[in-house]
Amino acid sequence: MMADTLALLDDADLRRWRACARRFWLHRQAAAEEAAPAPADPTDADVVHGPALDAALRASFPAGVAVPAPRTEADWNLAIARTHAALAEATPQTEGWALLGACLASNDGACARVDLVTRGSHGWRLFKLRYATVGTEADVDAVALWAHVAARSGLRVQSVGLLLVDTGFIYPGHGCYAGLLREVDLGPTLGSRPVGHWLTAMQACARAPEPAVPLGAPCTQPGPCEQLAHCALPEAPARPGDARARLEIVGRELAAQLRAAGHVDLHSVPLDALPDARLRRATRAVQQNAPVLEPAAAPLLRALPYPRRFLRFETIGFAVPVWAGTRPYQVLPFQWSCDTVAAPGQPPEHHGFLADATGDPRRAFAQSLLLALGNDNGPVQAYNAGFERNRLRELAAQFEDLGPALLALAERIVDLFQIARAHYYHPAMAGSWSAKSVFAAIAPDLGAEHFECEGLHTPLEAFARALQPGLQADKLQQLRAALLAHGQRQTAALRHMVALFEQRGEEEASTCPSGPAFRPCSPDQPG
């Protein structure tokens, strides 16, 4: 047994050291002072994998044995003993056998908790499990360390690799996930990972005085370093001018040219230096610190007949599919929200659909949508409508009996994104044309750009949580209420956008400056 297992180096230490020696040193000092185990290696918890992760793994390795995750030094020593005992008892005849979370320690100061170990014909096969389509350099580093520790622990390692999601897998249902995970051999890459030298350098670093802050340290990549407060770095100098006026709003290449010409931000850029109407409109809005709407937008929208509908979809794509006939990461609609305005001045009527946990929601989604929207030929307004159109076409291909009606509905969609991009700009958009940015700019009081419920920040996270088995009824109801309310805010924002464009377009028509820099866009003019 190891005398001080928690002092051993693991793949999380290696990741920190490879990023920044100071980050590694500070973490090791904090861990020693607190006499607590290092935090677990970050996982893919921030990605919606789906509620069937355990079922998928068990389907691939039905005879799998799990070693409980160790938290204390005593736990680690027990887990190492359990690992060696399980490996000693494993037989080649046991089909689908794997050891999950195998714990090992080497005699040169490292430890590893290997995601998955299986038997091969000539030794042990080690895998890092990622519910993703590709691995990262940090994954390769971790596997290299695991292979080093396993070999130093006396194991004969036949191969090492990643287990990744195969996007060509189609889930047949009934928990049959065999084939979901594909193997990627990392053996050829391990020669570029001198793990033994790395461990020696890490141990020397841990014993040395506190390292200086290195130049170019990735303090915020891919996320903020947990040791930033200890480094007391000076705050980055504020960008000159208003961040909403940065030159990159007109594109990186043009921004570089403008910067070379001596411009710091858009406030000093002459409109005639910009090549198209969309960029001139954005710059004009920044310079006058007020939104600009070309008058041509209003007649486009006023020409739309009633009843008018305002539509938003929400979708999800699970790494591990939960509905038969679907693939990993397939974009699947689970909620639609729609406001209908029957006539000018009439209050909107809201309709919607939100899937439950009873099965594949696509047919119910399509049927309910056609029932609410498919009984006339009126316009259906959406933002970035290519998204909604593509979902309707996918549903039409999936359900032949509903196909003609779904395709007809797709043809009725009017894209407010295209109208806004060709005729409107608000400084608060800061160069972004996402629905979040536009909604926040035109209707900040509605809060349509935000979603927050139970610590979740997107509708897809909330829906994924709602599908988790065993969720308390009150939590489920809270999640569903938040999703429905979010849908209502989104459709209200679409209505607000159209009303604003129609009203302000009339005002702009009487006050719009003349001259080529302010010429209104025609409906066919590229934005």
Side-chain angles (χ1 to χ4, degrees):
M1 300 290 180
M2 306 302 299
D4 187 2
T5 312
L6 293 179
L8 299 179
L9 300 169
D10 60 14
D11 52 274
D13 289 314
L14 177 58
R15 187 185 63 254
R16 295 185 188 95
W17 180 77
R18 291 268 276 163
C20 173
R22 179 179 173 84
R23 178 181 184 181
F24 162 77
W25 189 92
L26 288 169
H27 176 83
R28 295 294 292 182
Q29 295 299 313
E33 291 172 4
E34 297 170 8
D41 191 3
T43 66
D44 298 318
D46 57 330
V47 179
V48 178
H49 290 146
L53 294 185
D54 290 341
L57 190 57
R58 291 295 178 185
S60 297
F61 303 97
V65 177
V67 177
R71 300 298 179 188
T72 65
E73 182 179 337
D75 289 345
W76 261 103
N77 288 326
L78 180 59
I80 292 170
R82 286 176 172 173
T83 295
H84 285 286
L87 295 177
E89 295 171 0
T91 61
Q93 294 77 23
T94 305
E95 185 177 356
W97 181 89
L99 185 60
L100 311 177
C103 293
L104 301 167
S106 65
N107 57 6
D108 60 349
C111 63
R113 186 164 192 264
V114 183
D115 288 350
L116 192 139
V117 179
T118 65
R119 286 193 67 104
S121 57
H122 302 291
W124 300 105
R125 307 176 69 218
L126 280 58
F127 292 99
K128 183 171 179 60
L129 175 62
R130 283 290 308 275
Y131 289 103
T133 58
V134 296
T136 66
E137 289 297 313
D139 293 330
V140 181
D141 286 351
V143 171
L145 176 67
W146 295 354
H148 175 91
V149 173
R152 299 285 296 227
S153 298
L155 303 185
R156 182 178 182 181
V157 178
Q158 173 182 324
S159 63
V160 294
L162 299 177
L163 286 178
L164 302 174
V165 172
D166 184 353
T167 55
F169 172 80
I170 299 177
Y171 177 47
H174 308 292
C176 298
Y177 286 103
L180 170 70
L181 300 173
R182 62 183 179 92
E183 298 180 6
V184 177
D185 181 22
L186 294 182
T189 68
L190 295 193
S192 63
R193 264 69 178 177
V195 175
H197 294 300
W198 286 351
L199 290 174
T200 300
M202 292 165 67
Q203 290 159 351
C205 178
R207 293 190 297 268
E210 180 176 338
V213 178
L215 294 176
C219 302
T220 59
Q221 300 297 327
C225 172
E226 71 279 1
Q227 304 295 341
L228 273 178
H230 296 279
C231 292
L233 294 175
E235 293 187 9
R239 296 180 64 92
D242 187 347
R244 302 186 304 176
R246 69 188 193 280
L247 292 174
E248 284 70 19
I249 286 173
V250 298
R252 291 184 180 179
E253 183 176 345
L254 182 54
Q257 297 174 10
L258 293 171
R259 191 170 284 110
H263 298 286
V264 175
D265 57 30
L266 291 180
H267 288 296
S268 63
V269 175
L271 298 182
D272 58 9
L274 302 169
D276 62 59
R278 180 173 61 86
L279 301 183
R280 291 192 292 270
R281 185 182 312 111
T283 303
R284 178 184 165 202
V286 169
Q287 291 178 354
Q288 68 185 29
N289 194 29
V292 172
L293 176 66
E294 306 289 358
L300 290 175
L301 293 169
R302 288 199 300 269
L304 298 176
Y306 286 84
R308 295 178 175 181
R309 293 186 168 89
F310 304 85
L311 181 65
R312 290 290 287 174
F313 284 177
E314 296 292 349
T315 61
I316 198 165
F318 293 119
V320 179
V322 296
W323 300 306
T326 62
R327 303 183 306 277
Y329 303 107
Q330 183 175 350
V331 181
L332 303 170
F334 65 86
Q335 180 182 6
W336 62 261
S337 307
C338 181
D339 279 357
T340 299
V341 179
Q346 292 293 312
E349 182 178 0
H350 186 81
H351 298 278
F353 168 86
L354 176 58
D356 55 28
T358 59
D360 187 343
R362 288 178 294 171
R363 186 170 184 87
F365 179 101
Q367 287 177 320
S368 62
L369 187 64
L370 291 176
L371 183 63
L373 281 73
N375 56 358
D376 61 50
N377 296 318
V380 179
Q381 300 176 71
Y383 192 83
N384 201 9
F387 179 78
E388 280 79 6
R389 290 194 191 106
N390 287 338
R391 304 293 80 76
L392 290 173
R393 290 165 183 158
E394 291 162 359
L395 291 170
Q398 180 70 25
F399 306 110
E400 292 185 4
D401 57 323
L402 304 178
L406 289 168
L407 293 176
L409 177 58
E411 293 300 317
R412 292 163 50 193
I413 295 180
V414 177
D415 193 352
L416 295 178
F417 166 77
Q418 295 295 340
I419 294 176
R421 195 170 187 268
H423 302 288
Y424 182 75
Y425 190 82
H426 193 297
M429 291 160 55
S432 171
W433 289 94
S434 69
K436 285 186 176 182
S437 297
V438 175
F439 290 169
I442 66 170
D445 294 342
L446 290 177
E449 72 278 12
H450 296 301
F451 182 91
E452 182 71 34
C453 181
E454 293 291 302
L456 305 172
H457 304 292
T458 65
L460 67 89
E461 289 177 336
F463 182 66
R465 177 73 60 83
L467 294 183
Q468 294 293 334
L471 188 66
Q472 295 179 355
D474 59 333
K475 298 293 185 184
L476 175 61
Q477 183 59 34
Q478 187 175 359
L479 291 169
R480 292 183 63 82
L483 286 166
L484 293 171
H486 180 71
Q488 290 181 325
R489 293 194 300 270
Q490 296 254 305
T491 53
L494 292 178
R495 288 190 291 104
H496 184 92
M497 178 188 299
V498 171
L500 180 70
F501 283 12
E502 288 184 332
Q503 176 185 359
R504 189 173 293 169
E506 295 176 352
E507 299 170 355
E508 289 272 336
S510 62
T511 61
C512 181
S514 60
F518 308 115
R519 185 173 62 251
C521 298
S522 68
D524 298 325
Q525 181 179 349

